[in-house]
Amino acid sequence: MAGVPAVQIAVSDGGQVIYSEAFGTTDKESAAAATPRSVLQTGSIMKQFTAAAILRLAERGALSLDDPIEKFVPEFDPRGATITLRHLLSHTSGVRRDWFPPTTYVDLASPVTREQIIQALNGQPFDFAPGKKWSYSSAGYMLLGYAIESITGQSFADFVHDEFALPLGLVDTGVCGTSDLPLPEGYGLVPNGPWVRMQPWHPSVAWSSGSLCSTASDLARWSHLLATGHAILPVSYAAMITPARLDNNTIAPNGYAFGVVTEKILGHPAVSHAGAIDGFQSALIYFSNQDVAIAVVTNAFPAPAGGNPGLIALAVAKAALSAL
């Protein structure tokens, strides 16, 4: 389907998964069939979980969104700037997109420590002064994960498992390679060539910015649980989906809020995010007024245009919204 090795699709209505299907193979060599329970990497959809974790800790009084990051990550050098948790959540911090310099080779399959990542960040200039512009920063979400670890005394992976996955019944969801979850391998399409197996990133490389493993059905349920007070309080969710404002009072481009994009899709209010990491792509759309979620995950990146989960999700959404 869609010219990729495997695709997983799920639709939830009112929190109930009404459609969950998988097509293709998770292992081309053995021809192992993909199933709705096949755990796949989802990349930056992780950011929703990180943002929700920060908001849950704010509910408990453990932090304020306007606290400076160095309060919890003292190793990070803000170099005189005031970079708050709010800035990091909304990608308005000025911190570079990635923790590693763009011209530096990094073995993405090998583990990396908090100290190494923060040292690398401290050696890079900021892209702009906090609050002045918007620029997507996975590195900023790494810092948020380290703040969560400093506050709770738990690893980020354990916090996600204990606070969200376990109590919410998201049995196939968590940081890849932890809590009995695998570290799946996906595929990439070589230009004018065959599919090749992609070596997975070590979870520590993307950590709280993009190391989520899950299934389409778990993600569809998560969208409902997040929006309906089961993961965080309704007031926290309202803050999470409110598009960020820059210092000049303009709204951040594309409606980015805290780990999600707030926009209209097919004429309906929606909260969404996409993800991509070597070997995998994902898309998650939650239609707020209908309480309907669409999740699509593939085990292919780079992939042909027809294998874009966002395009597949839109096609599924059209059918689902007209049928419900």
Side-chain angles (χ1 to χ4, degrees):
M1 182 177 180
V4 295
V7 59
Q8 234 178 30
I9 301 171
V11 179
S12 72
D13 179 19
Q16 298 298 312
V17 176
I18 59 172
Y19 179 83
S20 180
E21 209 37 273
F23 306 89
T25 62
T26 55
D27 188 316
K28 290 175 66 65
E29 290 72 22
S30 68
T35 76
R37 290 288 306 276
S38 298
V39 174
L40 304 175
Q41 296 199 48
T42 70
S44 284
I45 289 178
M46 176 94 266
K47 291 180 173 68
Q48 294 186 23
F49 288 79
T50 303
I54 289 288
L55 289 166
R56 176 169 279 198
L57 291 173
E59 292 169 0
R60 295 175 180 169
L63 58 83
S64 163
L65 299 188
D66 294 313
D67 284 334
I69 183 60
E70 68 268 24
K71 179 177 179 180
F72 310 109
V73 189
E75 319 96 289
F76 176 70
D77 182 6
R79 282 153 274 176
T82 301
I83 298 175
T84 66
L85 303 180
R86 187 184 303 274
H87 287 137
L88 296 167
L89 286 165
S90 59
H91 299 301
T92 59
S93 67
V95 173
R96 285 276 170 99
R97 179 183 178 93
D98 297 306
W99 61 262
F100 44 88
T103 57
T104 300
Y105 171 77
V106 176
D107 181 3
L108 301 174
S110 296
V112 63
T113 66
R114 167 177 172 148
E115 291 71 26
Q116 289 172 314
I117 287 175
I118 294 175
Q119 184 178 22
L121 277 175
N122 286 343
Q124 296 191 70
F126 299 131
D127 285 339
F128 50 83
K132 299 301 182 184
K133 298 181 182 180
W134 184 93
S135 185
Y136 194 82
S137 175
S138 288
Y141 268 75
M142 298 286 282
L143 292 173
L144 291 170
Y146 297 145
I148 291 164
E149 292 182 335
S150 294
I151 292 166
T152 65
Q154 288 183 281
S155 76
F156 173 76
D158 286 347
F159 187 83
V160 169
H161 176 75
D162 294 349
E163 296 282 339
F164 296 133
L166 189 61
L168 297 178
L170 304 173
V171 296
D172 296 318
T173 297
V175 172
C176 300
T178 70
S179 301
D180 296 323
L181 293 171
L183 178 60
E185 294 181 352
Y187 293 88
L189 190 63
V190 176
N192 302 313
W195 287 104
V196 296
R197 188 184 290 273
M198 304 294 287
Q199 188 173 25
W201 290 21
H202 190 276
S204 61
V205 172
W207 208 226
S208 47
S209 73
S211 65
L212 186 73
C213 275
S214 191
T215 61
S217 54
D218 264 13
L219 291 178
R221 288 188 58 239
W222 161 254
S223 283
H224 164 81
L225 294 166
L226 185 60
T228 54
H230 293 83
I232 54 177
L233 296 176
V235 66
S236 297
Y237 185 70
M240 184 175 179
I241 65 171
T242 300
R245 286 188 177 272
L246 303 178
D247 286 354
N248 63 7
N249 206 35
T250 60
I251 293 176
N254 69 27
Y256 207 97
F258 295 164
V260 293
V261 175
T262 302
E263 57 188 332
K264 278 203 169 182
I265 297 177
L266 302 176
H268 300 277
V271 176
S272 68
H273 210 285
I277 194 167
D278 285 358
F280 299 89
Q281 288 188 91
S282 61
L284 180 58
I285 304 172
Y286 177 72
F287 292 96
S288 312
N289 291 354
Q290 289 78 14
D291 194 13
V292 168
I294 314 291
V296 179
V297 189
T298 73
N299 63 343
F301 184 73
N308 185 324
L311 297 178
I312 299 171
L314 284 176
V316 173
K318 287 179 183 178
L321 293 176
S322 64
L324 294 173

PDB file of all heavy atoms in Angstrom, residues 50-67:
ATOM      1  N   THR A  50       6.274  14.796  25.636  1.00  0.00           N
ATOM      2  CA  THR A  50       7.181  15.646  26.405  1.00  0.00           C
ATOM      3  C   THR A  50       6.461  16.898  26.891  1.00  0.00           C
ATOM      4  O   THR A  50       6.584  17.290  28.061  1.00  0.00           O
ATOM      5  CB  THR A  50       8.391  16.027  25.545  1.00  0.00           C
ATOM      6  OG1 THR A  50       9.036  14.826  25.096  1.00  0.00           O
ATOM      7  CG2 THR A  50       9.384  16.868  26.332  1.00  0.00           C
ATOM      8  N   ALA A  51       5.694  17.528  26.004  1.00  0.00           N
ATOM      9  CA  ALA A  51       4.943  18.714  26.393  1.00  0.00           C
ATOM     10  C   ALA A  51       3.917  18.377  27.474  1.00  0.00           C
ATOM     11  O   ALA A  51       3.756  19.122  28.457  1.00  0.00           O
ATOM     12  CB  ALA A  51       4.251  19.322  25.174  1.00  0.00           C
ATOM     13  N   ALA A  52       3.224  17.256  27.318  1.00  0.00           N
ATOM     14  CA  ALA A  52       2.241  16.847  28.324  1.00  0.00           C
ATOM     15  C   ALA A  52       2.914  16.582  29.671  1.00  0.00           C
ATOM     16  O   ALA A  52       2.361  16.897  30.732  1.00  0.00           O
ATOM     17  CB  ALA A  52       1.487  15.614  27.857  1.00  0.00           C
ATOM     18  N   ALA A  53       4.129  16.017  29.643  1.00  0.00           N
ATOM     19  CA  ALA A  53       4.858  15.751  30.882  1.00  0.00           C
ATOM     20  C   ALA A  53       5.205  17.053  31.592  1.00  0.00           C
ATOM     21  O   ALA A  53       5.060  17.170  32.823  1.00  0.00           O
ATOM     22  CB  ALA A  53       6.125  14.950  30.581  1.00  0.00           C
ATOM     23  N   ILE A  54       5.664  18.042  30.838  1.00  0.00           N
ATOM     24  CA  ILE A  54       5.977  19.346  31.434  1.00  0.00           C
ATOM     25  C   ILE A  54       4.717  19.969  32.034  1.00  0.00           C
ATOM     26  O   ILE A  54       4.733  20.498  33.166  1.00  0.00           O
ATOM     27  CB  ILE A  54       6.581  20.289  30.371  1.00  0.00           C
ATOM     28  CG1 ILE A  54       8.003  19.831  29.983  1.00  0.00           C
ATOM     29  CG2 ILE A  54       6.596  21.738  30.874  1.00  0.00           C
ATOM     30  CD1 ILE A  54       9.063  20.057  31.031  1.00  0.00           C
ATOM     31  N   LEU A  55       3.605  19.891  31.327  1.00  0.00           N
ATOM     32  CA  LEU A  55       2.358  20.469  31.829  1.00  0.00           C
ATOM     33  C   LEU A  55       1.855  19.726  33.057  1.00  0.00           C
ATOM     34  O   LEU A  55       1.321  20.340  33.991  1.00  0.00           O
ATOM     35  CB  LEU A  55       1.308  20.464  30.719  1.00  0.00           C
ATOM     36  CG  LEU A  55       1.592  21.467  29.587  1.00  0.00           C
ATOM     37  CD1 LEU A  55       0.722  21.172  28.374  1.00  0.00           C
ATOM     38  CD2 LEU A  55       1.377  22.898  30.065  1.00  0.00           C
ATOM     39  N   ARG A  56       2.028  18.415  33.092  1.00  0.00           N
ATOM     40  CA  ARG A  56       1.620  17.655  34.281  1.00  0.00           C
ATOM     41  C   ARG A  56       2.463  18.072  35.486  1.00  0.00           C
ATOM     42  O   ARG A  56       1.935  18.222  36.605  1.00  0.00           O
ATOM     43  CB  ARG A  56       1.758  16.154  34.032  1.00  0.00           C
ATOM     44  CG  ARG A  56       1.436  15.321  35.256  1.00  0.00           C
ATOM     45  CD  ARG A  56       1.311  13.843  34.942  1.00  0.00           C
ATOM     46  NE  ARG A  56      -0.004  13.515  34.401  1.00  0.00           N
ATOM     47  CZ  ARG A  56      -0.507  12.287  34.367  1.00  0.00           C
ATOM     48  NH1 ARG A  56       0.177  11.265  34.840  1.00  0.00           N
ATOM     49  NH2 ARG A  56      -1.694  12.048  33.866  1.00  0.00           N
ATOM     50  N   LEU A  57       3.740  18.286  35.287  1.00  0.00           N
ATOM     51  CA  LEU A  57       4.596  18.734  36.395  1.00  0.00           C
ATOM     52  C   LEU A  57       4.238  20.156  36.824  1.00  0.00           C
ATOM     53  O   LEU A  57       4.330  20.497  38.013  1.00  0.00           O
ATOM     54  CB  LEU A  57       6.067  18.649  35.983  1.00  0.00           C
ATOM     55  CG  LEU A  57       6.606  17.221  35.815  1.00  0.00           C
ATOM     56  CD1 LEU A  57       8.015  17.234  35.253  1.00  0.00           C
ATOM     57  CD2 LEU A  57       6.573  16.472  37.154  1.00  0.00           C
ATOM     58  N   ALA A  58       3.798  20.984  35.879  1.00  0.00           N
ATOM     59  CA  ALA A  58       3.332  22.324  36.242  1.00  0.00           C
ATOM     60  C   ALA A  58       2.073  22.234  37.097  1.00  0.00           C
ATOM     61  O   ALA A  58       1.905  22.996  38.062  1.00  0.00           O
ATOM     62  CB  ALA A  58       3.068  23.141  34.980  1.00  0.00           C
ATOM     63  N   GLU A  59       1.189  21.302  36.775  1.00  0.00           N
ATOM     64  CA  GLU A  59      -0.020  21.094  37.573  1.00  0.00           C
ATOM     65  C   GLU A  59       0.322  20.738  39.019  1.00  0.00           C
ATOM     66  O   GLU A  59      -0.403  21.116  39.953  1.00  0.00           O
ATOM     67  CB  GLU A  59      -0.852  19.964  36.963  1.00  0.00           C
ATOM     68  CG  GLU A  59      -1.459  20.278  35.615  1.00  0.00           C
ATOM     69  CD  GLU A  59      -2.062  19.064  34.917  1.00  0.00           C
ATOM     70  OE1 GLU A  59      -2.004  17.944  35.497  1.00  0.00           O
ATOM     71  OE2 GLU A  59      -2.580  19.222  33.807  1.00  0.00           O
ATOM     72  N   ARG A  60       1.425  20.046  39.205  1.00  0.00           N
ATOM     73  CA  ARG A  60       1.842  19.627  40.543  1.00  0.00           C
ATOM     74  C   ARG A  60       2.665  20.684  41.264  1.00  0.00           C
ATOM     75  O   ARG A  60       3.098  20.466  42.402  1.00  0.00           O
ATOM     76  CB  ARG A  60       2.650  18.327  40.429  1.00  0.00           C
ATOM     77  CG  ARG A  60       1.830  17.157  39.927  1.00  0.00           C
ATOM     78  CD  ARG A  60       2.685  15.930  39.703  1.00  0.00           C
ATOM     79  NE  ARG A  60       1.870  14.816  39.221  1.00  0.00           N
ATOM     80  CZ  ARG A  60       2.354  13.684  38.741  1.00  0.00           C
ATOM     81  NH1 ARG A  60       3.665  13.499  38.687  1.00  0.00           N
ATOM     82  NH2 ARG A  60       1.550  12.733  38.327  1.00  0.00           N
ATOM     83  N   GLY A  61       2.893  21.803  40.605  1.00  0.00           N
ATOM     84  CA  GLY A  61       3.666  22.872  41.227  1.00  0.00           C
ATOM     85  C   GLY A  61       5.158  22.643  41.209  1.00  0.00           C
ATOM     86  O   GLY A  61       5.913  23.348  41.893  1.00  0.00           O
ATOM     87  N   ALA A  62       5.616  21.670  40.417  1.00  0.00           N
ATOM     88  CA  ALA A  62       7.050  21.361  40.359  1.00  0.00           C
ATOM     89  C   ALA A  62       7.818  22.328  39.470  1.00  0.00           C
ATOM     90  O   ALA A  62       9.053  22.378  39.532  1.00  0.00           O
ATOM     91  CB  ALA A  62       7.259  19.936  39.857  1.00  0.00           C
ATOM     92  N   LEU A  63       7.087  23.077  38.652  1.00  0.00           N
ATOM     93  CA  LEU A  63       7.737  24.037  37.759  1.00  0.00           C
ATOM     94  C   LEU A  63       6.714  25.060  37.304  1.00  0.00           C
ATOM     95  O   LEU A  63       5.508  24.881  37.453  1.00  0.00           O
ATOM     96  CB  LEU A  63       8.347  23.315  36.540  1.00  0.00           C
ATOM     97  CG  LEU A  63       7.402  22.489  35.653  1.00  0.00           C
ATOM     98  CD1 LEU A  63       6.656  23.347  34.616  1.00  0.00           C
ATOM     99  CD2 LEU A  63       8.165  21.401  34.933  1.00  0.00           C
ATOM    100  N   SER A  64       7.220  26.143  36.745  1.00  0.00           N
ATOM    101  CA  SER A  64       6.411  27.132  36.040  1.00  0.00           C
ATOM    102  C   SER A  64       6.900  27.178  34.607  1.00  0.00           C
ATOM    103  O   SER A  64       8.103  27.036  34.350  1.00  0.00           O
ATOM    104  CB  SER A  64       6.555  28.519  36.678  1.00  0.00           C
ATOM    105  OG  SER A  64       6.109  29.532  35.784  1.00  0.00           O
ATOM    106  N   LEU A  65       5.991  27.372  33.674  1.00  0.00           N
ATOM    107  CA  LEU A  65       6.406  27.418  32.275  1.00  0.00           C
ATOM    108  C   LEU A  65       7.343  28.585  31.997  1.00  0.00           C
ATOM    109  O   LEU A  65       8.076  28.577  31.003  1.00  0.00           O
ATOM    110  CB  LEU A  65       5.189  27.516  31.361  1.00  0.00           C
ATOM    111  CG  LEU A  65       4.196  26.363  31.414  1.00  0.00           C
ATOM    112  CD1 LEU A  65       3.148  26.511  30.311  1.00  0.00           C
ATOM    113  CD2 LEU A  65       4.899  25.012  31.281  1.00  0.00           C
ATOM    114  N   ASP A  66       7.342  29.558  32.876  1.00  0.00           N
ATOM    115  CA  ASP A  66       8.217  30.714  32.682  1.00  0.00           C
ATOM    116  C   ASP A  66       9.531  30.595  33.456  1.00  0.00           C
ATOM    117  O   ASP A  66      10.311  31.548  33.523  1.00  0.00           O
ATOM    118  CB  ASP A  66       7.476  32.002  33.052  1.00  0.00           C
ATOM    119  CG  ASP A  66       6.317  32.263  32.100  1.00  0.00           C
ATOM    120  OD1 ASP A  66       6.526  32.164  30.866  1.00  0.00           O
ATOM    121  OD2 ASP A  66       5.198  32.539  32.563  1.00  0.00           O
ATOM    122  N   ASP A  67       9.784  29.422  34.036  1.00  0.00           N
ATOM    123  CA  ASP A  67      11.091  29.170  34.651  1.00  0.00           C
ATOM    124  C   ASP A  67      12.164  29.103  33.573  1.00  0.00           C
ATOM    125  O   ASP A  67      11.931  28.551  32.482  1.00  0.00           O
ATOM    126  CB  ASP A  67      11.080  27.833  35.406  1.00  0.00           C
ATOM    127  CG  ASP A  67      10.359  27.899  36.735  1.00  0.00           C
ATOM    128  OD1 ASP A  67      10.294  28.988  37.317  1.00  0.00           O
ATOM    129  OD2 ASP A  67       9.873  26.847  37.191  1.00  0.00           O
TER     130      ASP A  67
END
